[in-house]
Amino acid sequence: MLTATAIAHANIAFIKYWGNRDETLRLPSNNSISMNLANLDTRTRVTFNPNLKADTLTLNQIPQAGSGLERVSDFLARVRALSGVPHFAAVHSENNFPMGAGIASSASAFAALSLAASAAAGLTLNERELSRLARTGSGSACRSIPAGFVEWQQGTGDSDSYALSIAPPDYWHLADCVAITCKAHKTTGSTEGHALASTSPLQQVRVSAAPQRVEQCRSAILNRDFAAFAEVVELDSNLMHAVMMTSTPPLLYWQAPTLNVMHAVRRWREEGTPVCYTIDAGPNVHVLTPQRYAQEIEGRLRQLSGVEDVLVAAPGGAAQILQE
Ligand code: DP6
């Protein structure tokens, strides 16, 4: 049976990926750094079947058609080309985090799909090869292949653009308290957003100093230096949103509750609590803090107006095959 099941975690970027040098291969404009999110994951089963007339996809038990299926089918075509397995595949995928909660699911989805589809097709890929494959499905998915704290090296081409673990999950006891401010779907997806990045006059400024921020973030993680970490993480998130807001057409992902959380986090830090924020392509705010403060921060976030829910995640492991 050409079948396999895999699980992968979502990740949150501390240094952001925004803009590609090559849109087709998803070669990014800069290195990025992220942390896998332990209890936010996608579980995917892939079965190549000679009787199928086309690829099929069910997401949380619901059959998919249109652009979602197309993106998965394009990806499976790459696995067919690599493995020589000619059959179409049935893909069943489930997220354990609420859909539409604004937690990017493409990272965990394409990481789990890369592992399950390559294993089902009989390919034995090492971690770097898997990360490269996942990258072609969704850029940030390459960072959900290795464990813990991860750096995506932009590389010079397809062969050297992949993610590596810089520290295991238990290296630093950080927590991501995700303040869900709006459960509605975002209007402009990341793929379209990346294509707009170069229209912002600020993108070049953001990209040119990215190596220094990557360096500062990597050392802050390795030294478990929260103050240095907070400074560079907020700066990098603000720079990405400045690019988004100044592209043509402009993208404005923040809602009123987003700003509410940002101001609260800054106030708490001024009062002495080690805490900082980072925001992806949506209105939710990822609030980072050492694990011993997580419960306190979760409670405070829940009191803020416009915060609908809070999910708390610790650093997560690598993508894995599940034996069934
Ligand atoms: C803002 O990886 O979702 O979350 O490659 O088009 O799937 P595609 O884009 P995606 O972009 C992620 C953008 C981000 C920042 C980040 O995760 O680094």
Side-chain angles (χ1 to χ4, degrees), residues 13 16-18 26 71 106 138-140 143 190-191 194 240 280-281:
K16 306 295 188 185
Y17 153 49
W18 196 248
R26 290 185 152 85
R71 187 166 173 183
S106 70
S138 172
S140 56
R143 299 189 311 238
S190 307
T191 305
H194 289 296
M240 179 181 73
D280 279 343

Short mmCIF file of all heavy atoms in Angstrom, two decimals, residues 13 16-18 26 71 106 138-140 143 190-191 194 240 280-281, ligand 1:
data_model
loop_
_atom_site.label_atom_id
_atom_site.label_comp_id
_atom_site.label_asym_id
_atom_site.label_seq_id
_atom_site.Cartn_x
_atom_site.Cartn_y
_atom_site.Cartn_z
N ALA A 13 7.15 32.91 13.33
CA ALA A 13 8.42 33.52 12.92
C ALA A 13 8.80 34.65 13.87
O ALA A 13 7.97 35.50 14.20
CB ALA A 13 8.30 34.04 11.50
N LYS A 16 10.96 37.55 10.21
CA LYS A 16 9.93 37.18 9.24
C LYS A 16 10.45 36.92 7.83
O LYS A 16 11.42 37.54 7.38
CB LYS A 16 8.89 38.31 9.12
CG LYS A 16 8.26 38.74 10.43
CD LYS A 16 7.42 37.64 11.06
CE LYS A 16 6.64 38.17 12.27
NZ LYS A 16 5.92 37.08 12.94
N TYR A 17 9.72 36.06 7.15
CA TYR A 17 9.86 35.81 5.71
C TYR A 17 8.79 36.66 5.03
O TYR A 17 7.59 36.47 5.27
CB TYR A 17 9.64 34.31 5.49
CG TYR A 17 9.11 33.87 4.14
CD1 TYR A 17 9.66 34.33 2.95
CD2 TYR A 17 8.05 32.95 4.07
CE1 TYR A 17 9.16 33.87 1.73
CE2 TYR A 17 7.55 32.49 2.86
CZ TYR A 17 8.12 32.97 1.69
OH TYR A 17 7.63 32.54 0.49
N TRP A 18 9.19 37.63 4.23
CA TRP A 18 8.20 38.44 3.50
C TRP A 18 8.83 38.90 2.19
O TRP A 18 9.69 39.77 2.18
CB TRP A 18 7.72 39.64 4.34
CG TRP A 18 6.45 40.23 3.79
CD1 TRP A 18 6.30 41.46 3.21
CD2 TRP A 18 5.15 39.60 3.76
NE1 TRP A 18 4.98 41.63 2.81
CE2 TRP A 18 4.26 40.50 3.13
CE3 TRP A 18 4.66 38.36 4.17
CZ2 TRP A 18 2.91 40.21 2.93
CZ3 TRP A 18 3.32 38.06 3.97
CH2 TRP A 18 2.46 38.98 3.36
N ARG A 26 9.88 29.62 -4.42
CA ARG A 26 9.79 30.18 -3.07
C ARG A 26 11.19 30.30 -2.45
O ARG A 26 11.48 29.73 -1.39
CB ARG A 26 8.88 29.33 -2.18
CG ARG A 26 7.41 29.43 -2.58
CD ARG A 26 6.51 28.70 -1.63
NE ARG A 26 5.17 29.27 -1.59
CZ ARG A 26 4.20 28.97 -2.45
NH1 ARG A 26 4.41 28.10 -3.41
NH2 ARG A 26 3.02 29.53 -2.35
N ARG A 71 -3.50 23.64 -5.26
CA ARG A 71 -2.17 23.86 -4.68
C ARG A 71 -1.58 22.52 -4.18
O ARG A 71 -0.40 22.25 -4.37
CB ARG A 71 -2.30 24.87 -3.53
CG ARG A 71 -0.99 25.32 -2.96
CD ARG A 71 -1.18 26.54 -2.09
NE ARG A 71 0.05 26.89 -1.39
CZ ARG A 71 0.15 27.88 -0.51
NH1 ARG A 71 -0.89 28.63 -0.23
NH2 ARG A 71 1.29 28.12 0.09
N SER A 106 -0.76 26.84 6.63
CA SER A 106 -0.03 26.34 5.46
C SER A 106 1.33 25.76 5.87
O SER A 106 1.82 24.82 5.24
CB SER A 106 0.13 27.42 4.39
OG SER A 106 1.02 28.42 4.82
N SER A 138 4.83 25.70 0.62
CA SER A 138 4.62 26.96 1.34
C SER A 138 5.95 27.30 1.99
O SER A 138 6.54 26.45 2.68
CB SER A 138 3.55 26.79 2.41
OG SER A 138 3.48 27.94 3.22
N GLY A 139 6.42 28.52 1.77
CA GLY A 139 7.75 28.88 2.26
C GLY A 139 7.95 28.55 3.73
O GLY A 139 8.88 27.83 4.11
N SER A 140 7.04 29.03 4.58
CA SER A 140 7.21 28.84 6.02
C SER A 140 7.14 27.37 6.42
O SER A 140 7.57 27.00 7.51
CB SER A 140 6.16 29.65 6.78
OG SER A 140 4.86 29.29 6.36
N ARG A 143 10.24 25.49 7.63
CA ARG A 143 10.67 25.66 9.02
C ARG A 143 9.94 24.73 9.98
O ARG A 143 10.31 24.63 11.15
CB ARG A 143 10.47 27.12 9.46
CG ARG A 143 11.27 28.16 8.66
CD ARG A 143 11.18 29.55 9.31
NE ARG A 143 9.81 29.88 9.60
CZ ARG A 143 9.15 30.96 9.14
NH1 ARG A 143 9.77 31.84 8.38
NH2 ARG A 143 7.89 31.15 9.47
N SER A 190 -0.85 35.09 2.26
CA SER A 190 0.59 35.34 2.24
C SER A 190 1.17 35.27 0.84
O SER A 190 2.02 36.08 0.48
CB SER A 190 1.32 34.31 3.11
OG SER A 190 0.77 34.27 4.38
N THR A 191 0.70 34.30 0.03
CA THR A 191 1.30 34.13 -1.29
C THR A 191 1.14 35.41 -2.11
O THR A 191 2.11 35.88 -2.72
CB THR A 191 0.65 32.94 -2.02
OG1 THR A 191 0.79 31.79 -1.19
CG2 THR A 191 1.33 32.66 -3.36
N HIS A 194 3.45 38.22 -0.53
CA HIS A 194 4.88 38.14 -0.88
C HIS A 194 5.14 38.83 -2.22
O HIS A 194 6.15 39.50 -2.39
CB HIS A 194 5.33 36.68 -0.99
CG HIS A 194 5.41 35.97 0.34
ND1 HIS A 194 6.28 36.34 1.34
CD2 HIS A 194 4.71 34.93 0.84
CE1 HIS A 194 6.12 35.55 2.38
NE2 HIS A 194 5.16 34.67 2.11
N MET A 240 8.17 44.39 9.00
CA MET A 240 7.37 43.67 8.01
C MET A 240 6.02 44.36 7.81
O MET A 240 5.57 44.53 6.66
CB MET A 240 7.14 42.21 8.40
CG MET A 240 6.28 41.46 7.38
SD MET A 240 5.95 39.75 7.82
CE MET A 240 4.78 39.95 9.15
N ASP A 280 1.75 38.08 12.41
CA ASP A 280 1.89 37.59 11.04
C ASP A 280 0.90 38.29 10.12
O ASP A 280 0.45 39.38 10.42
CB ASP A 280 1.74 36.06 11.01
CG ASP A 280 3.04 35.36 11.42
OD1 ASP A 280 4.09 36.03 11.41
OD2 ASP A 280 2.99 34.17 11.75
N ALA A 281 0.54 37.64 9.01
CA ALA A 281 -0.35 38.29 8.04
C ALA A 281 -1.81 38.15 8.45
O ALA A 281 -2.62 37.53 7.77
CB ALA A 281 -0.11 37.67 6.66
C1 DP6 B 1 3.84 36.62 7.62
O1 DP6 B 1 4.83 30.71 4.16
O2 DP6 B 1 2.46 31.47 4.44
O3 DP6 B 1 3.76 34.34 8.30
O4 DP6 B 1 4.99 30.52 0.82
O5 DP6 B 1 3.04 31.80 0.02
O6 DP6 B 1 2.71 29.88 1.61
P1 DP6 B 1 3.60 31.00 1.14
O7 DP6 B 1 3.72 32.04 2.34
P2 DP6 B 1 3.81 31.73 3.89
O8 DP6 B 1 4.31 33.16 4.43
C2 DP6 B 1 4.50 33.39 5.79
C3 DP6 B 1 4.49 34.85 6.06
C4 DP6 B 1 4.50 35.23 7.51
C5 DP6 B 1 5.92 35.39 8.07
C6 DP6 B 1 6.65 34.10 8.35
O9 DP6 B 1 6.04 33.09 8.75
O10 DP6 B 1 7.89 34.14 8.26
#
